[in-house]
Every structure is written in C-alpha cells, then in structure tokens.
Amino acid sequence: MTTDSAAARDMLIDAAFDVDALREKYRQERERRLRPEGIEQFVELTGDFSRYVDDPYADSDFIRPAISKEVDVLVAGGGFGGLSAAAQLRKNGWRDLTIVEKGGDFGGTWYWNRYPGAQCDIETYCYLPLLEETGYAPSLKYAFAPEILEHAQRIGKMFDLYKDALFQTEITGMRWLEDEGRWLCATSRGDAIKARFVVQTNGILDRPKLPGIPGIASFNGHTFHTSRWDYHYTGGSNEGGLDKLADKRVAVIGTGATAIQCIPHLARHAKHLYVVQRTPSCVDERRNAPTDFAWMSSLSAGWQAARRRNFVALTSGVPQPEDLVGDGWTEIARTVGGYLSADLDETSDESRAQVGELADFQKMNKIRARVEAIVDDAQTAEALKPWYRQFCKRPTFNDDYLDSFNRPNVTLIDTKGRGLDAVTEAGLQFDGQEYAVDCIIFATGFEVGTSFVRRMGFETIGRDGKALSDAWSQGLRSLHGVMVHEFPNLFHMGINQNAPSYCVTYHLDEQAEHIVAILGHARAAGARYVEPTQASEQSWVATIRAKSGATLAFQRECTPSYLNNEGKADGPLNEIYGGGSIEFSELIRDWREQGMPGLELR
Ligand code: NDP
C-alpha cells in the first residue's frame, strides 16, 4: 500500500466504524437473501401471464397489410439504441432503412415505463443523446419520463425515421439467405423483409418478470406490472394525481429503482399502501434543479461528449481532474480521489480497491444515517437500511420515498430477504398475517440472466443453418459483443461481451458508431458480406474472460440482484469487458483505426 492510501485508510478507520463488523454484516445479509433457485425464482410472462406484457398505450385495434420488401438495413428496436443506430446510418448516407418496433412509437424503455414519478436517474445533459445536434435544452437536471419520450420522438423526426418505422410489430424469426446475401425477417404482422444488414437492439431491461410467489395467479383483485401502468385504474399521470386510488388498498411488490420512484405517488393517493420489501434500496438525495439555460447556451461545441466521458470515466474508476456532473453517482469517485489526490495514477489497483471499499462503507453509513434521520418509526427505519456495497444494486435517488413511510396510510411489510409466503384470492400473506388488498402492482423488474433467444422472443438462423441459441449454448461468443462468427451482416447492440456504463446511452452511441463504421468499411470495400473470423472471435472471448476477474470478485460478495444473476455471479453481466467503458471505447477505436483486423469481407 502506498503512503497515500495507507494514510487514507487510517483516516477512514479513525472515522469510527468497524470495517470487519461491516463486512460480516454484509455477508450475513447476503446469506439471508440468497435463494437456491437463482433466476428460476421468477415467472415468465407467457401463457396466462402474457396479458402482463400487452401494450396499454397503443391502439389495440391497429391493423395494416403485410409488407414484402428489400432494404439495405433493418434496425430491430426503436429505443435509444435503435434511434442512435438509425441516426448514425442516416448521417453516413444510408437512406434505405426499416425500423421494426414492438411499441406504438419510438422510445423503448421510455415508451413502456410511464409509471408515476418515472424519471431518469442519470443527469439529462449526459443521458439524452444528440443534444447538440437537436439543439434541445432539457428542462431539468434529471428529467421525467414524458420529456425523455418526447426527445426520442424528436430524434425520430429530425432524422426522418418515422416514414421508415413499422410500429406495433415484432420480429418473429430471422434466417440468413446465403445465396442472396440477405436476412429474411418475418414479423408478427406477416411481413417478409429481406435486409442486407440487420442491427439488433431489443433492449436490456425489456421483458418484465413476476415473482414466483405461491398462489400468484389466484388473486381476484386487479394487478399490473409497473412497465405497463394502468392509468385507467389508478387515474392520474406521470406527475401523480392517482385519484382513483382514494378508496383502494394497494400493495406494491418490490423496492428497486422503479418502486422508489412510484411509491411516493401511491402513498399520497391510495387509501392504504402496503410496500412489500425483500431487500431495501440505497436511497440517496435527488437534489433536482431546473436547467440554467444561460449556462447551457454558453457551452462550446463538443461539450456533451466531454461531459459524458467525464461521468462515465468517474463512475468506472478512471481518475479525472474534475467532476463535471458532481452528483451522488460520482461521490465515491470524489471521496477516493480526495484521499489519494497526490498521485492517483501511481496508486496500485490493490490500494485503490482498499480505499474504494472504505469510501463505500463511509458512503453507505451516510445512506443509513439518512434513513434514520427521515423515518420516524425506529423499527421501520431499521428495516429500510441497506447493508451492501453501493454498486451491488442500482443506487437510487429520491427526496420523497423515505418520507412516505411516515404517513399513517403506509405500511412496510419487511420480509427480511424472504419474500411473501403467498398471494391469496384476497391479498397477501406473510408470517401468518393476511393483508387484504384491491390491487397488486408488480415492481419486480425485468429478465436479464435468462437466455438471449428467450428474451428476444425469436430464433436467428445464420450461415449453414446455425441457430443462435446453439451458437451460444456453451456460452456467449462474439467480436466486441457486436458481431458473431457464422452470422454475417448481423450486428448486436446491448450488454453482451462489451462494456456497459451507468449512462446507458453513452454505451449505445459508442456501439452505433462502431457498427456504422464497420458498415462503411464494408461498403467502401464493395463487400456484400461482413463477418468476424473464428480466430478473432476466440481472441475476443479470451480477452473478456481474462478481464472479468475484478467484476466477478466484486459481484460474488454482493447481495443478490439481476446484476449478479441473483447471487450466482456467473451470468451474462459477468461477460462484460472488465477494463471498463472508457478503456473499451479506446480499444474499439484503435481497432477501427488499424483497419478492422479479424473481419472477413466478401
Ligand atoms: P429491480 O430488478 O431492480 O427490482 C425488483 C424488485 O422486486 C426488487 O426490490 C426485488 O427484491 C423485488 N422482488 C423480486 N421478487 C420478489 C419477491 N418474491 N418478493 C418481494 N420482492 C421481490 O427492478 P426495477 O424495475 O426496480 O429496476 C430495474 C432496472 O431498471 C434498474 O436497476 C435500472 O437499471 C433501471 N431503472 C432505471 C431508472 C432510471 O432512472 N434510469 C429508473 C428505474 C429503473 P430483491 O432486491 O430482494 O431482489
């Protein structure tokens, strides 16, 4: 340990907390939350449960004739990934596109997640893509869902993408036609689209899931998932005003990032609200603020890329001379940087990790103290304290959540890591007690660790009849997470074998740029087929495995969540590039500059 970090360690220990006791407490809390079923504990939304994924926002009577056509590029998905890819394609002269999107409009996550209080927890000036190109100035530091959805639509209009979009349409299968050098894409509307290239961007948190609680199907009251909010039942909007709940007893299951945002509104309006908790979230202050438009208009060209890069660097442990965003996400980086300020670059990874852990304890102590300061009832406050490292679960930020538990109409059902015992015809059952309710809202998240093909909802058949599910049956394989050997002209956007960041749009924009550069390279070479060689793919898989150690070690100690495959720490999220987002961006940029070695062009 360097003198610098040894001093930091001493200072933090002197700051009066028992490191060993905290480690032990975190371990115990993790133990009581572990379930042997792992990701199998959830209910897949098929069969009788498929109504939970019906689109409540679009016209359910919509019909159109089936389409049969050929295009240069088909983009599967119209969220920020698809929009970013399509905008990049347009900017680079690709005119002949088709975008296939399940929802009734662009927006992806922000099309589906319209629940009351839905808000982006990443600073808008970083999160909203293409702010400089569109000339849009967001209204707030942290925008609410309607403004984000509107920005997705703005990008769609600016790049003339609406005329090329097939909404309320799902891909049902894709087959590579070797002789024609095209993908044949079938859809839920009977379309047959032949595309020279396909960009697959179907979202990361796209398929809602329900908890496998015994009796879940027997409940006689009303139920829905937060990503399909039923405003007909609750009244109100994203801004709240859920006036139809005034005579309703409501239960919300889950206390993750989504629940934290909608619970304050439910608490304000329900006759009674039961909050079912398994693991408490880490809830920091939000401190939202209106945009200073004078400041925004004073920024020089290239400001957004620089700001995003600064945020992504700090949140992935890369020291920066300043913290441009300066919020709860970057606080740990500030603390660690402060203690090690003399020679950060010289500090060994081990020393930095030790100080990082101490700074994390310090941060989480503050989070727990905040719970005590806000929640009046001591027992409830104790139950709401999170005992794990800050980035084991997605940190949350809200100024109203904790205070909701001071209302007389709100009851916390703390299941201490167990989950409910049962759902009955009339409501909930836990520890021998019944809770009669009129409505159950599932804030229980999305499938992450299940098979990629299951989450996409269709099979992809590549060269020589190879199915993607077979290709990945023994583990993922790809080049940069973007292309797969035996699947020519097909590009993936997402989190497989690359380097996701908390600012998801940064990562999607990087991928879009990468893909469009490869397409440009193929076009310039007059190639109709582009595919990574087996050797380049094997080399990338080896890089991923070699770099995954630190992430894996961190996740193994964490309380269960989708981030560590519900405690098993060997899921797809550990197939990420361990060097972090900034290193990954530099690596793929260098690869492009070197002429894209390892690609076969025909
Ligand atoms: P999560 O998966 O994060 O949370 C699901 C919740 O359901 C957890 O509290 C979980 O408890 C609980 N749960 C699951 N099964 C049971 C059960 N049997 N009994 C009781 N509780 C149960 O989903 P979210 O929708 O909250 O968030 C998903 C992700 O979406 C976030 O991590 C984030 O990436 C993104 N998001 C982003 C936002 C933004 O501002 N950008 C806002 C909201 C979400 P346990 O923790 O014990 O598993």
Side-chain angles (χ1 to χ4, degrees), residues 270-290:
K271 180 180 170 197
H272 199 94
L273 177 67
Y274 295 97
V275 177
V276 180
Q277 172 178 277
R278 207 166 59 171
T279 313
S281 267
C282 155
V283 190
D284 206 347
E285 55 186 358
R286 174 67 297 167
R287 278 192 293 161
N288 205 353

Side-chain angles (χ1 to χ4, degrees), residues 109-124:
T109 291
W110 303 100
Y111 175 86
W112 298 109
N113 289 282
R114 304 182 183 199
Y115 57 84
Q119 180 186 39
C120 186
D121 58 6
I122 300 293
E123 191 199 59
T124 334

Side-chain angles (χ1 to χ4, degrees), residues 224 229-236 241-245 266 439 441:
F224 57 90
W229 195 270
D230 188 350
Y231 282 110
H232 292 294
Y233 182 82
T234 65
L242 312 175
D243 52 2
K244 291 191 185 171
L245 295 182
L266 291 167
C439 172
I441 300 173

Side-chain angles (χ1 to χ4, degrees), residues 160-173:
D160 203 16
L161 302 175
Y162 274 91
K163 70 174 174 43
D164 296 327
L166 297 175
F167 293 120
Q168 293 183 259
T169 304
E170 288 183 66
I171 305 269
T172 51

Side-chain angles (χ1 to χ4, degrees), residues 42 115 119-121 205 209 211 213 253-258 261 276 278-279 393-394 419-420 443-446 562:
F42 297 103
Y115 57 84
Q119 180 186 39
C120 186
D121 58 6
L205 297 158
K209 60 178 162 49
I213 302 169
I253 300 189
T255 50
T258 297
Q261 294 181 338
V276 180
R278 207 166 59 171
T279 313
K393 284 183 180 280
R394 189 165 179 105
L420 290 172
T444 42
F446 304 86
Y562 74 85

Side-chain angles (χ1 to χ4, degrees), residues 129-144:
L130 300 166
L131 282 184
E132 291 189 62
E133 283 89 335
T134 55
Y136 181 65
S139 65
L140 294 164
K141 189 168 166 79
Y142 304 97
F144 287 91

Side-chain angles (χ1 to χ4, degrees), residues 411-566:
T411 304
L412 176 70
I413 305 178
D414 177 31
T415 67
K416 300 181 175 59
R418 252 170 61 196
L420 290 172
D421 293 333
V423 172
T424 63
E425 286 182 13
L428 318 174
Q429 210 176 63
F430 182 69
D431 246 359
Q433 208 172 325
E434 300 270 357
Y435 301 86
V437 295
D438 302 296
C439 172
I440 300 177
I441 300 173
F442 294 104
T444 42
F446 304 86
E447 286 192 22
V448 176
T450 51
S451 96
F452 187 75
V453 171
R454 164 169 154 172
R455 277 179 285 127
M456 282 203 303
F458 65 88
E459 184 63 275
T460 302
I461 308 293
R463 198 157 47 72
D464 302 325
K466 184 81 174 186
L468 190 60
S469 52
D470 285 341
W472 284 353
S473 62
Q474 303 302 312
L476 293 175
R477 57 174 174 85
S478 73
L479 176 61
H480 302 152
V482 158
M483 296 197 77
V484 183
H485 179 65
E486 297 174 297
F487 296 83
N489 295 12
L490 174 62
F491 300 87
H492 292 274
M493 295 175 76
I495 53 173
N496 291 335
Q497 297 195 330
N498 51 44
S501 94
Y502 291 109
C503 180
V504 172
T505 52
Y506 165 85
H507 162 68
L508 293 172
D509 287 353
E510 288 286 305
Q511 287 181 340
E513 188 185 340
H514 193 58
I515 291 167
V516 175
I518 297 171
L519 286 176
H521 182 63
R523 185 169 56 181
R528 293 174 64 186
Y529 299 78
V530 54
E531 182 185 338
T533 61
Q534 193 172 20
S536 67
E537 190 177 76
Q538 282 169 349
S539 161
W540 183 247
V541 172
T543 303
I544 288 288
R545 300 276 142 79
K547 281 270 184 186
S548 66
T551 322
L552 213 56
F554 179 85
Q555 288 296 351
R556 280 207 181 104
E557 304 292 314
C558 277
T559 190
S561 79
Y562 74 85
L563 292 173
N564 67 357
N565 212 26
E566 298 299 332

